[in-house]
Amino acid sequence: MAIREFDIILVHGTKLMPRVMRTPPWVFPGSPMHSALEASFPGAEVSRFEWRGGNLHSDRLDAADRLSDRLEFADLAVVVVAHSHGGNVARAALEAAAPTLNFRGLVTLGTPFLQFKRWQTDRRPGMLSLAGFSIA
């Protein structure tokens, strides 16, 4: 059994069908993304962060407050993998979190960043954006 060195939190983006408001399947156990992360990082616990998924800035800020709390109380270092506006939720949560947060990294997938701000390299290890707009 591998030693757990960090955990991975999956953050979905905006839920585009308001009537259904279903959480995208990629964040659930058994999905190809979830399974690939578990196989690639056998020591990491992969979990999801659930938020309303509304397309208002206030929805993202509310979710960021909750995610920031979760990150601050995490037992291990955390890597966040976020899609679409989930990347904005994660970025806002990381900016609001305590500077002593044991944060390992942020990976965004297709995130339309609404604001660009350089992170302090001594506080935040950086981020990687795939098919999105990002700064390091």
Side-chain angles (χ1 to χ4, degrees):
M1 179 171 185
I3 297 173
R4 253 176 81 202
E5 296 180 18
F6 62 93
D7 288 332
I8 300 171
I9 298 176
L10 306 177
V11 182
H12 64 79
T14 303
K15 297 177 183 178
L16 298 177
M17 296 183 284
R19 287 190 182 148
V20 179
M21 294 302 276
R22 289 186 348 181
T23 299
W26 71 272
V27 298
F28 288 100
S31 73
M33 172 70 86
H34 203 283
S35 298
L37 289 169
E38 286 180 325
S40 298
F41 305 100
E45 179 180 303
V46 181
S47 63
R48 73 178 186 274
F49 173 75
E50 188 67 41
W51 66 288
R52 182 175 174 276
N55 198 21
L56 297 175
H57 187 61
S58 59
D59 293 326
R60 292 185 286 275
L61 291 179
D62 290 343
D65 286 342
R66 290 186 20 253
L67 180 57
S68 179
D69 288 344
R70 181 168 169 187
L71 294 171
E72 288 184 25
F73 290 103
D75 294 332
L76 297 174
V78 176
V79 172
V80 178
V81 177
H83 173 252
S84 189
H85 277 303
N88 285 309
V89 169
R91 185 184 55 83
L94 292 168
E95 287 179 355
T100 56
L101 177 69
N102 193 1
F103 170 69
R104 182 72 58 93
L106 169 62
V107 178
T108 62
L109 308 163
T111 296
F113 284 103
L114 302 175
Q115 176 185 22
F116 294 93
K117 181 177 180 182
R118 182 165 295 279
W119 288 353
Q120 297 173 335
T121 56
D122 61 331
R123 184 172 167 201
R124 305 285 182 228
M127 66 180 183
L128 169 68
S129 182
L130 305 176
F133 303 96
S134 168
I135 62 172

